[in-house]
Amino acid sequence: MVTDVLFNLPAVEGRELDYVQEAIRGGHPASGGEFARRAAEVLAADAGSAEALMTTSCTAALELSAMLLDLQPGDTVIVPSFTFTSTALAFARQGAGLVFCDIEPRTLGIDPAHLATLMDEHVRAVVIVHYAGVACDVDGIRAVLADWPDVTLVEDNAHGLFGAFRDEPLGSLGRFATLSFHETKNFVCGEGGALLLNDPDDVDRARVLYDKGTNRQAFMLGQVDKYTWQDTGSSFGLADVLAAYLLAQLEVRDTIQAKRKRVHDWYAAALAPHAEELGVQLMHVPEDRTPAHHMYYVLLPHRDRRNDVLELMRKAGVQATFHYQPLHASEAGRAFAAREVECPVAQDVSERLLRLPFHNNLTDADLDRVVATFLEAATTTLPDR
Ligand SMILES: Cc1ncc(COP(=O)(O)O)c(C=O)c1O
């Protein structure tokens, strides 16, 4: 029996099972453990961050960054419309009015030209996403923010760990950067995340908010002789049993990234000769970016045919998919918006985007099958067929 080509399949790539067992048998599987410390060290070293706090998810890391902004009534935060809900939700629940920014069609990251029109004295932060692990137009965004030095740049780097913009690692560009280790990401531990602090001045307070509003970390480091309630906060810490799973994955980062690069390069090479004829726009990686190889997407020419292509592929046993529904047009997006904004590129892309199966261990046969199935579906759904 021929089995489906799965869209995603988290794999054991190194010492995950040994480390998880060690974390459990060691008697301290809660947060603040040795595996979390070692995972945080790897992440902070890669981005050159002052500190990495291991969190229960990327959503939680975004929430912690939103808390650290101390948002006041009337403050707004600019977020892309084309992203996962958490990028926006984390700031909305801390009281920010949301201003949605459109994306540019080359990288599907925030469009600096649109961003420039949205800036005003209410804006406290701009959140960027490096979609698919390809850096957004960082130069363009920096040029806009140069006129607004008090505005905080937050990087939702859920897709971009180990990618780079020129020689700058993704995750090193914002005052705060967040990471995801959800089962759908390159490096996984079920559910997990991290907050990278790139300004040393944020470290002390972030440690308190991270640990239920207490100075427990200062106590653990021997800086105070007891710990007490100091500030707002929540329980953000990643259990060590999950950090153990994650650390094993991070230890084989080169192997995992090489496997994912192979998948990306295979799709890019196999689809390139057919793209023009089918009117399909292939995922683009500008020359000066190191991609993180989180996913592979294409943009189909006809928005009303995308779901037909997906359906044909599913019937042929290939699990392709789509996302995101533009946030500016969603029910909650409208409710949390500080003002109404049009994001036509986000709208258009969300209707034409198709993601191909992408995981570490797709075989040559799987990849051939995905490409053949996609080409067949894209051809038969052309309007004149
Ligand atoms: C851009 C982006 N931000 C945030 C998240 C949320 O990550 P998590 O599931 O770790 O909370 C995701 C999840 O897919 C995402 O794609």
Side-chain angles (χ1 to χ4, degrees):
M1 197 187 81
V2 183
T3 52
D4 278 10
V5 180
L6 301 179
F7 179 71
N8 181 48
L9 184 63
V12 173
E13 298 284 355
R15 302 177 64 191
E16 290 88 336
L17 303 179
D18 291 343
Y19 282 7
V20 166
Q21 201 172 90
E22 217 180 292
I24 296 168
R25 291 197 192 281
H28 297 289
S31 67
E34 185 56 18
F35 286 107
R37 190 193 61 71
R38 287 164 62 192
E41 209 171 77
V42 172
L43 300 173
D46 174 70
S49 305
E51 173 99 326
L53 296 171
M54 304 308 301
T55 59
T56 51
S57 64
C58 182
T59 304
L62 286 161
E63 288 169 353
L64 181 49
S65 70
M67 281 185 181
L68 287 162
L69 287 174
D70 271 332
L71 296 163
Q72 302 300 313
D75 286 348
T76 62
V77 172
I78 297 182
V79 296
S81 172
F82 188 71
T83 182
F84 196 70
T85 55
S86 307
T87 317
L89 172 62
F91 299 89
R93 74 193 289 268
Q94 280 305 114
L98 300 179
V99 180
F100 292 101
C101 188
D102 208 356
I103 53 170
E104 48 92 9
R106 216 166 58 116
T107 64
L108 311 191
I110 270 188
D111 177 2
H114 191 223
L115 177 65
T117 69
L118 301 174
M119 297 301 298
D120 63 28
E121 67 281 9
H122 300 292
V123 177
R124 290 290 311 285
V126 174
V127 190
I128 57 173
V129 174
H130 305 297
Y131 181 72
V134 176
C136 60
D137 183 352
V138 175
D139 279 346
I141 290 161
R142 282 179 172 156
V144 173
L145 295 186
D147 292 334
W148 302 89
D150 294 335
V151 171
T152 291
L153 183 66
V154 181
E155 268 181 288
D156 177 346
N157 196 27
H159 299 182
L161 178 60
F162 303 135
F165 174 72
R166 300 197 188 120
D167 57 356
E168 295 180 82
L170 302 186
S172 70
L173 311 171
R175 175 176 154 200
F176 306 119
T178 63
L179 301 171
S180 175
F181 305 113
H182 183 261
E183 68 171 25
T184 50
K185 300 303 187 294
N186 296 26
F187 299 89
V188 305
C189 66
E191 299 270 1
L195 175 64
L196 304 181
L197 301 169
N198 291 321
D199 181 344
D201 288 347
D202 285 317
V203 171
D204 287 347
R205 181 151 190 256
R207 284 179 176 167
V208 170
L209 271 54
Y210 174 82
D211 218 339
K212 299 110 177 162
T214 72
N215 57 349
R216 183 170 168 276
Q217 290 211 27
F219 173 69
M220 300 304 280
L221 293 168
Q223 295 163 351
V224 291
D225 60 5
K226 59 181 178 306
Y227 73 88
T228 58
W229 188 15
Q230 308 268 311
D231 203 331
T232 185
S234 191
S235 180
F236 285 110
L238 181 70
D240 218 43
V241 70
L242 293 179
Y245 180 177
L246 177 65
L247 179 68
Q249 295 245 313
L250 293 174
E251 282 179 349
V252 290
R253 64 181 257 189
D254 292 345
T255 309
I256 290 176
Q257 291 301 75
K259 287 180 171 191
R260 300 182 76 94
K261 179 178 186 315
R262 169 179 163 274
V263 175
H264 173 279
D265 292 353
W266 186 298
Y267 285 146
L271 296 178
H274 307 279
E276 196 176 335
E277 177 200 343
L278 293 172
V280 171
Q281 190 183 319
L282 303 182
M283 175 179 170
H284 175 65
V285 182
E287 285 276 302
D288 58 356
R289 321 289 212 265
T290 305
H293 301 303
H294 173 52
M295 67 169 90
Y296 193 87
Y297 70 84
V298 297
L299 296 175
L300 295 171
H302 306 288
R303 60 182 67 161
D304 52 340
R305 304 291 165 111
R306 192 264 315 272
N307 292 350
D308 296 340
V309 175
L310 283 173
E311 192 48 33
L312 285 171
M313 292 182 75
R314 271 186 204 132
K315 280 193 184 136
V318 173
Q319 297 182 0
T321 190
F322 66 95
H323 72 175
Y324 298 109
Q325 298 305 300
L327 298 182
H328 75 283
S330 67
E331 195 179 329
R334 276 200 280 261
F336 288 122
R339 58 189 155 113
E340 211 175 301
V341 178
E342 290 301 311
C343 299
V345 181
Q347 188 71 52
D348 175 56
V349 162
S350 96
E351 291 170 27
R352 296 196 293 119
L353 186 134
L354 181 146
R355 297 171 62 189
L356 296 177
F358 205 109
H359 58 82
N360 301 353
N361 295 307
L362 284 163
T363 63
D364 291 5
D366 289 336
L367 292 164
D368 273 340
R369 190 168 154 212
V370 172
V371 169
T373 307
F374 171 72
L375 291 175
E376 166 78 17
T379 305
T380 49
T381 54
L382 280 171
D384 54 355
R385 301 287 157 135

